[in-house]
Amino acid sequence: MNAEVPVANGYSARRTLPLRVEIVRQFRRRRTLVMFGLLLALPWVLVVAFKLGAGQGGQQNTLRLSDLATESALNFSAFTLSVSASFLLVVAVALFCGDTVAGEASWSSLRYLLAAPVPRDRLLRQKLIVALGYAAAAVISLPLMSLLAGTLGFGWDDIQVPGTGEVIPAAAALPRFAIVIGYALVSQLVVASLAFLLSTATDSPLGAVGGAVGLVIVSSILQAVEALGVVREFLPTFWTSAWLDAFAPEIEWSGMIKGAAVSVTYSAILIALAFRRFRAKDIVS
Amino acid sequence: MRFARGRRLAALLVVVLLAGVLGWALWPAAPQARGIDLTIAVTDGPAGDQRVNLDATFFPPPDGGKAPAVLLAHGFGGSKRSVREAAQRLAADGYAVLTWSARGFGRSGGQIALNSPDYEVKDVEQLVGWLARRPEVTLDAAGDPRVGIAGGSYGGAIALMAAAHDRRVDAIVPQITWYDLADALFPDAGGGGPENGVFKRMWAGLFFSRGGPVPGDDADGGLAGLGGPPVPARPLTAEEAACGRFLPEICRMYQSVAETGKATPEAVALLRRSSPVSVQGRIRIPTLLLQGQRDSLFPLDQADANARAVAATGAPVQVAWFDGGHDGGDGEIDWVHDRTASWFGHWLKREGGTAVPGSGFEVTRDGGRDPGTRRPVLLHATGDRYPGLGGTGRTVVRLAGPDQQVANPPGGSPAAISAVPGFGGLLGAGGPGLSVDVPGQSAIFESAPLTAPLQVTGSSTVRLRVRGEGEVTLFAKLQDVSGGAQPPILPEGLVAPLKVTVPPDAGEAGAEVTVRLPAIDHRFDTGHRLRLTVSSTDLGYATPAAPSVAGVGLAAPALTVPTDAALRTPVNGPEWWTWALPAAAIVVAVVMVLAGRRRPGADVDPALAGVPLRITGLTKAYRNGDTVVSDLSFQVERGQVLGLLGPNGAGKTTTMRMMMGLIHPDAGEIRIFGQKVTPGAPILSRLGSFVEGPGFLPHLNGRENLELYWRATGRPAADAHMAEALEIAGLGGALERAVRTYSQGMRQRLAIAQAMLGLPDLLVLDEPANGLDPPQIREMRQVLIRYAERGRTVIVSSHLLAEVEQTCDHVVVMHRGRLVTTGPVRDLLEGAARGNGSVRRLEDVFLTLIDDNVGERS
């Protein structure tokens, strides 16, 4: 520390708000626990639903992802991911990243942290790291729990590719599964950064989370308008399901590359905006 | 009010978005080309003496000037109305477009002569002459308009035939059409010609029924259209019922071949008169051949033969295989229009320099699915040169399988199903190319699983040995077997029919035949097998009625597969923006973050190092213009307990927030121990604060809240003086309860305890007595006085004067953001006493002061 600056004993900006403290602060919250509980329970609910529904509706020999869900744990996990990626995971990610600053503002604890003082940039950085960590844990926990639930429910078997019905050996499919999870993380990054920006702009956590989810919904509505043509490719949600290409007989990268590019682009700008806004903001919460 | 700017920005964004959407929706579309309906009288017939009125529509070029002309011909069973939209699009591109109903169709008179040189071709020659007389049409010479012809199927054939017979035609775009009608209706994959061909019964039936008995009908339906026949206006004569609008000569030919299933030499001659095969070497103009991959009526080999015939004259030829044809598919209307327009743009308008647009060979391929809509995406692979059906290279795939017996069922039923003519999408439910084979009727030969993907582009060949008696009719197809649960795929539903004549004395030797399998563009993936299925029946074809059994084996265990490595799909590798965009965004983001960065602790005034707080000229206005703090200056010395007094709205809290670095002042500065206060300035570590109520994490208990807060400051746990703080809070057992269960007073005390953690040199408390009961207030007073006695400084804001009077030694009075007075409490009271002659309470002083102040201002 600069010797000329008489600060309180032992104070150093670089030691404020350690990640461990922020993790503990967020972890015991009810919404954190409920969200993780939901994500971890969903695969089991689906397994039960498939088991109860088995035998009804006859043996359709179609090759949709949902019909193949009971073929193997990997198929089941891909199905779980496909049904939750567009909404449930978006909500989870928006929750962790949208609530993090706005939540503090709504509890009035933000001003005491800032006056402690935790420098504003550092506060955002630490909060962003922890929020992204929770969001990533949410995105990862769902497919992993699905693998576990699927293995117990339908057995560990080779994956059957939707559409063509081709079979990829489980051992070869596992690395692809890692690609899928990795891509899901990158594609949700844009949701995370949007929620984070809104979180720094409002004192209402509900507003930040709802705003981010709402914008995602608007984007996915827009992407259904084919008249928009190539513009749709630059909508933040356009490539959300591009990970399905990892389960094609030959991995098709172009969609995922484009999706990652779009996501990183939006995220970088949104997060930079969040830092700039927060730095200049008058904290009146 | 603090959202005012944000709200304005959001409103602006919405307005811009709405304006964009509205503008886009209301943007004036290109002027719709208006057609002029007219009747053009022509004379034709072998002797040129038959008058016929053709129903036509002329679309003049939209800009009113002169333009090249395009004749747009319709398909079999259609009329000028079926090409109306395509004509309007072409006209909008700047052409004079003429559509007409061919003789025997729509409202035109005459009978169908199947694009005969004596009839339809003569009609078109006169239409070209008619165009030459129009003022809107560019002329190459007197009586010779600049004209191109485009059309599909029946209309494609007339384009080819007219190009051969009329030198004035400058360029043509024939689509999904024939080279040799006899060969198309009586194909023989063994190379025996139409006389030895297998009758394409279902397609031929549909083809001829579409010229059926509906005089004067103006139906829109082309060949692929479905729907019941319209009700005729009057009862039909026997001749009409049997032959419809066909020329009797053609009707008789069809009736005879359809009955026997054999092409007589007369029938072949008649069909060939209507086919480009009869005008070989006479089409010498630029020709763009668009043929559908999903077409069992006029397969790709018909376009191949046309391409070779035109190319032999030295004229420029391009070939494209698109996703369409008589069996359905996408149709690619936009792409067909674009290709047609660019072909005519080059050859008729002479636009775009010397380079011919497009590429010599173009093939539409499956490009996976659109990631947004999950709908199929089509890619166009292009190559410079059209290699023909033999490809630029050949791969030999080994096939294996024993000789097998195939039975022809009596009456030819049940039959295998490959494509159902006229019902393109019907079998498409389970994906394209699903076919049905009947057990016992087919021989199967398979390759080993492929070790690398194999893209077949063209017509594969295989040599078969057939044993049996007399004429054996067989159908060969090349299937894609993926293994697993998927049934084999028959690409485009195409089969190659062949008729083999086994000599009576052949015995075990049988007859050998080289079979040309259907021309396709199909990718066989790694691990898939190629399967050659040879069956005795196919629903679309006429097969012998007599039951028989034939032996089918491989004369050579090799399938020769054509490939075209020169074909390239446009997208190779990631697009440039996939790396440029994120890289640019990250650079922009880094600049944005770094640009506004402040270095804390840079502004120090050493002279004030011993002064806990000095405020100079502090001013803050909110965005709506309300001044909350105005030119406020005062100083606090070490050991003072300072009361910040003022009514609600005086700016006390805002001032305190500025002391904490939460609000940026508009002007002036705050120095704590000489350090200028900025957001997050390190000097704030010597400030303890409690402003505008407590702020705790409601799900944690009191002790955890204080501990986590202290850990968030990053300072050593021993410096916290946690025990003293907790004693001040006086919460006892409630410390272990979640904060959300606390009363207002408990939270208040916990918050004051939090402000005192680490025993800061400057303690700032906003209305600390709120929510406390009288004994607690008294206790608080003692605590604060004791706190200042140790050389520390306390600032307490309040609107309760009695409270300040008893706690504070100094006071700062604010009203409406301005400083009213400052000084020791005693001086203030004495001064007031002197003025009025009696000792008054601070409350009275305060009320007088703010009254005066109001008076001054107003």
Side-chain angles (χ1 to χ4, degrees):
Chain A
M1 216 50 220
N2 187 343
E4 287 178 36
V5 180
V7 294
N9 180 34
Y11 173 80
S12 163
R14 274 168 300 180
R15 282 199 295 269
T16 54
L17 195 59
L19 291 179
R20 207 155 12 106
V21 172
E22 175 61 13
I23 290 170
V24 174
R25 283 162 60 87
Q26 297 293 334
F27 182 70
R28 297 257 304 269
R29 305 186 54 189
R30 199 169 288 168
R31 63 185 58 167
T32 309
L33 297 176
V34 165
M35 184 46 82
F36 273 106
L38 186 66
L39 290 173
L40 295 178
L42 179 74
W44 299 100
V45 173
L46 284 174
V47 165
V48 171
F50 273 116
K51 289 278 180 198
L52 287 180
Q56 295 171 12
Q59 283 302 100
Q60 289 174 318
N61 198 18
T62 57
L63 292 165
R64 286 180 305 166
L65 196 56
S66 54
D67 298 324
L68 292 175
T70 56
E71 291 296 315
S72 73
L74 284 162
N75 268 112
F76 175 72
S77 199
F79 167 74
T80 317
L81 201 57
S82 77
V83 289
S84 35
S86 61
F87 194 73
L88 182 63
L89 287 184
V90 168
V91 172
V93 168
L95 182 72
F96 291 125
C97 296
D99 186 76
T100 182
V101 180
E104 299 277 358
S106 74
W107 295 327
S108 304
S109 51
L110 181 62
R111 57 173 176 257
Y112 294 109
L113 281 180
L114 290 175
V118 183
R120 291 192 182 184
D121 282 357
R122 181 169 172 88
L123 179 112
L124 275 202
R125 194 189 84 183
Q126 302 295 84
K127 282 201 159 284
L128 181 62
I129 292 171
V130 171
L132 288 180
Y134 275 111
V139 173
I140 294 170
S141 68
L142 180 76
L144 287 189
M145 185 52 93
S146 303
L147 273 187
L148 182 65
T151 307
L152 293 180
F154 310 114
W156 182 256
D157 209 343
D158 297 344
I159 189 165
Q160 205 172 351
V161 175
T164 66
E166 258 167 301
V167 172
I168 303 175
L174 266 184
R176 293 182 180 211
F177 211 75
I179 293 169
V180 166
I181 295 179
Y183 180 74
L185 287 173
V186 175
S187 72
Q188 298 291 349
L189 190 62
V190 62
V191 180
S193 30
L194 180 62
F196 190 69
L197 171 62
L198 292 177
S199 186
T200 60
T202 172
D203 298 344
S204 146
L206 200 68
V209 178
V213 173
L215 283 173
V216 165
I217 290 172
V218 168
S219 168
S220 39
I221 290 172
L222 278 180
Q223 84 188 35
V225 182
E226 281 185 59
L228 288 177
V230 78
V231 176
R232 295 180 307 147
E233 291 197 10
F234 298 93
L235 288 171
T237 54
F238 188 71
W239 304 96
T240 315
S241 47
W243 58 267
L244 285 170
D245 295 346
F247 288 129
E250 298 271 320
I251 300 183
E252 172 63 45
W253 290 100
S254 73
M256 286 192 275
I257 289 175
K258 287 181 183 173
V262 169
S263 181
V264 167
T265 303
Y266 277 108
S267 305
I269 300 289
L270 291 173
I271 288 173
L273 271 178
F275 273 83
R276 264 193 92 89
R277 276 195 67 104
F278 193 64
R279 207 181 271 157
K281 197 185 175 191
D282 284 342
I283 307 295
V284 290
S285 60
Chain B
M1 58 187 184
R2 62 204 146 85
F3 285 122
R5 199 179 69 159
R7 226 176 259 157
R8 228 175 299 146
L9 198 76
L12 192 73
L13 264 175
V14 168
V15 167
V16 167
L17 260 176
L18 273 179
V21 169
L22 269 177
W24 180 62
L26 299 177
W27 195 259
Q32 185 84 281
R34 309 230 359 187
I36 305 163
D37 289 325
L38 28 86
T39 303
I40 300 173
V42 292
T43 49
D44 55 18
D49 53 0
Q50 300 178 20
R51 271 187 73 86
V52 167
N53 284 333
L54 294 182
D55 178 29
T57 302
F58 182 61
F59 299 85
D63 55 5
K66 273 183 181 296
V70 174
L71 283 167
L72 201 54
H74 63 80
F76 205 81
S79 73
K80 67 171 191 179
R81 280 172 49 180
S82 15
V83 292
R84 187 180 179 81
E85 269 176 45
Q88 281 172 334
R89 275 181 88 168
L90 265 178
D93 281 353
Y95 295 95
V97 183
L98 181 64
T99 64
W100 76 103
S101 297
R103 62 184 351 263
F105 292 101
R107 295 184 200 279
S108 290
Q111 286 172 313
I112 301 163
L114 281 189
N115 290 339
S116 153
D118 287 335
Y119 296 94
E120 280 87 351
V121 175
K122 284 185 175 173
D123 296 349
V124 172
E125 283 172 340
Q126 288 164 71
L127 292 179
V128 173
W130 182 89
L131 282 171
R133 292 190 295 275
R134 292 297 300 198
E136 298 94 339
V137 176
T138 312
L139 295 184
D140 283 328
D144 177 5
R146 178 87 53 81
V147 63
I149 310 181
S153 194
Y154 193 62
I158 194 65
L160 287 159
M161 297 300 289
H165 284 96
D166 192 331
R167 281 295 166 84
R168 294 172 296 176
V169 180
D170 299 291
I172 50 172
V173 185
Q175 301 147 25
I176 56 169
T177 191
W178 69 82
Y179 170 71
D180 181 352
L181 200 50
D183 183 56
L185 296 181
F186 297 91
D188 179 21
E195 288 87 351
N196 190 49
V198 184
F199 183 43
K200 208 179 269 180
R201 187 182 56 186
M202 248 170 118
W203 260 130
L206 269 172
F207 194 82
F208 282 90
S209 71
R210 290 289 164 142
V214 277
D217 168 57
D218 206 0
D220 270 344
L223 254 175
L226 286 174
V231 180
R234 60 177 171 78
L236 304 167
T237 64
E239 170 74 14
E240 278 173 349
C243 290
R245 301 182 70 185
F246 279 103
L247 215 59
E249 176 193 355
I250 292 180
C251 180
R252 276 194 301 278
M253 177 280 295
Y254 171 67
Q255 287 179 340
S256 86
V257 298
E259 193 180 349
T260 60
K262 281 192 200 312
T264 58
E266 298 76 39
V268 171
L270 185 74
L271 290 170
R272 282 191 168 159
R273 260 176 71 72
S274 297
S275 303
V277 66
S278 64
V279 290
Q280 273 188 69
R282 289 171 59 184
I283 303 172
R284 298 199 183 90
I285 54 168
T287 304
L288 170 63
L289 290 156
L290 309 178
Q291 201 77 351
Q293 298 181 42
R294 297 177 61 82
D295 201 328
S296 55
L297 177 58
F298 303 131
L300 298 174
D301 57 351
Q302 295 289 327
D304 180 63
N306 270 325
R308 275 184 285 135
V310 178
T313 69
V317 178
Q318 289 187 1
V319 177
W321 298 350
F322 69 102
D323 183 19
H326 287 97
D327 288 334
D330 181 273
E332 301 195 67
I333 294 169
D334 292 336
W335 174 88
V336 166
H337 169 81
D338 290 346
R339 284 293 261 143
T340 307
S342 72
W343 190 253
F344 286 152
H346 183 79
W347 296 108
L348 300 183
K349 286 186 178 172
R350 317 265 161 93
E351 289 172 341
T354 51
V356 182
S359 41
F361 186 34
E362 185 167 342
V363 176
T364 301
R365 284 178 177 163
D366 176 20
R369 283 172 185 281
D370 178 308
T373 57
R374 311 306 302 174
R375 282 175 46 178
V377 169
L378 300 176
L379 293 178
H380 293 101
T382 54
D384 290 337
R385 203 177 62 79
Y386 173 61
L389 298 182
T392 56
R394 281 171 194 78
T395 307
V396 174
V397 178
R398 289 191 66 84
L399 292 180
D403 286 10
Q404 292 153 63
Q405 303 290 324
V406 297
N408 180 43
S413 180
I417 302 171
S418 50
V420 181
F423 298 85
L426 206 64
L427 284 179
L434 204 65
S435 59
V436 181
D437 281 308
V438 185
Q441 292 182 14
S442 44
I444 291 170
F445 310 94
E446 260 188 4
S447 73
L450 293 174
T451 51
L454 176 61
Q455 179 87 43
V456 178
T457 307
S459 203
S460 308
T461 54
V462 68
R463 203 157 164 74
L464 291 180
R465 186 192 307 282
V466 180
R467 299 185 190 85
E469 288 168 17
E471 278 186 353
V472 180
T473 302
L474 294 171
F475 301 88
K477 40 198 164 190
L478 183 60
Q479 291 169 313
D480 181 342
V481 183
S482 62
Q486 283 290 83
I489 288 169
L490 178 61
E492 320 298 354
L494 295 176
V495 298
L498 62 147
K499 208 181 268 180
V500 187
T501 308
V502 184
D505 54 352
E508 277 305 292
E512 284 193 17
V513 61
T514 301
V515 181
R516 276 166 64 93
L517 293 161
I520 50 171
D521 179 70
H522 182 82
R523 180 186 154 105
F524 292 85
D525 283 320
T526 308
H528 288 206
R529 294 165 187 270
L530 277 68
R531 174 187 285 183
L532 174 70
T533 304
V534 183
S535 49
S536 57
T537 54
D538 191 276
L539 189 65
Y541 293 84
T543 48
S548 63
V549 175
V552 179
L554 295 169
L559 178 75
T560 309
V561 173
T563 56
D564 186 353
L567 277 178
R568 288 265 175 270
T569 30
V571 269
N572 279 327
E575 287 179 46
W576 64 271
W577 61 262
T578 54
W579 57 266
L581 208 58
I586 286 169
V587 169
V588 168
V590 167
V591 169
M592 277 168 72
V593 170
L594 291 185
R597 207 159 166 189
R598 277 194 213 102
R599 286 264 143 226
D603 192 347
V604 188
D605 185 349
L608 294 175
V611 180
L613 179 72
R614 170 183 272 185
I615 293 178
T616 325
L618 194 68
T619 302
K620 177 71 186 178
Y622 281 127
R623 291 217 173 84
N624 60 2
D626 283 355
T627 306
V628 190
V629 177
S630 176
D631 198 22
L632 181 72
S633 302
F634 65 88
Q635 181 166 327
V636 185
E637 302 296 339
R638 208 183 270 269
Q640 285 183 350
V641 178
L642 179 90
L644 193 54
L645 262 177
N648 289 330
K652 305 185 298 284
T653 304
T654 304
T655 305
M656 287 183 156
R657 280 181 176 274
M658 286 193 273
M659 285 180 210
M660 293 161 75
L662 298 177
I663 293 181
H664 303 263
D666 293 337
E669 59 175 29
I670 300 173
R671 287 186 184 271
I672 295 176
F673 297 108
Q675 308 275 326
K676 187 174 173 181
V677 172
T678 52
I683 192 63
L684 292 172
S685 59
R686 294 174 69 182
L687 175 96
S689 50
F690 165 71
V691 176
E692 245 186 337
F696 293 111
L697 309 191
H699 53 282
L700 299 179
N701 67 33
R703 183 189 299 279
E704 287 166 339
N705 257 298
L706 291 201
E707 278 171 3
L708 279 177
Y709 172 77
W710 189 252
R711 283 170 68 188
T713 67
R715 293 167 60 186
D719 287 0
H721 303 278
M722 186 67 73
E724 288 173 66
L726 291 177
E727 197 187 317
I728 290 164
L731 288 170
L735 268 179
E736 315 302 331
R737 279 192 354 232
V739 167
R740 76 170 84 83
T741 64
Y742 283 16
S743 70
Q744 164 77 16
M746 292 162 84
R747 287 183 203 196
Q748 182 98 353
R749 280 169 8 234
L750 189 66
I752 291 166
Q754 177 177 292
M756 290 182 178
L757 278 183
L759 303 178
D761 296 315
L762 177 60
L763 186 64
V764 177
L765 304 176
D766 185 19
E767 311 274 6
N770 269 8
L772 300 189
D773 54 25
Q776 287 169 339
I777 292 177
R778 175 199 294 263
E779 200 183 322
M780 176 68 55
R781 203 179 292 145
Q782 298 308 315
V783 165
L784 294 184
I785 291 167
R786 272 206 310 277
Y787 195 84
E789 277 169 1
R790 295 187 237 168
R792 299 191 180 88
T793 311
V794 179
I795 300 176
V796 181
S797 85
S798 182
H799 59 276
L800 295 175
L801 305 176
E803 180 58 39
V804 169
E805 192 178 354
Q806 293 177 56
T807 315
C808 303
D809 41 37
H810 280 67
V811 69
V812 168
V813 183
M814 287 179 73
H815 186 57
R816 294 193 179 160
R818 289 173 181 275
L819 179 73
V820 176
T821 187
T822 176
V825 176
R826 207 178 314 110
D827 291 1
L828 206 65
L829 288 170
E830 281 170 7
R834 265 199 305 277
N836 288 298
S838 65
V839 176
R840 292 171 61 190
R841 295 171 52 77
L842 183 54
E843 185 166 340
D844 305 320
V845 178
F846 176 66
L847 287 173
T848 321
L849 279 172
I850 64 173
D851 252 8
D852 289 355
N853 202 251
V854 171
E856 273 167 35
R857 277 161 58 108
S858 52

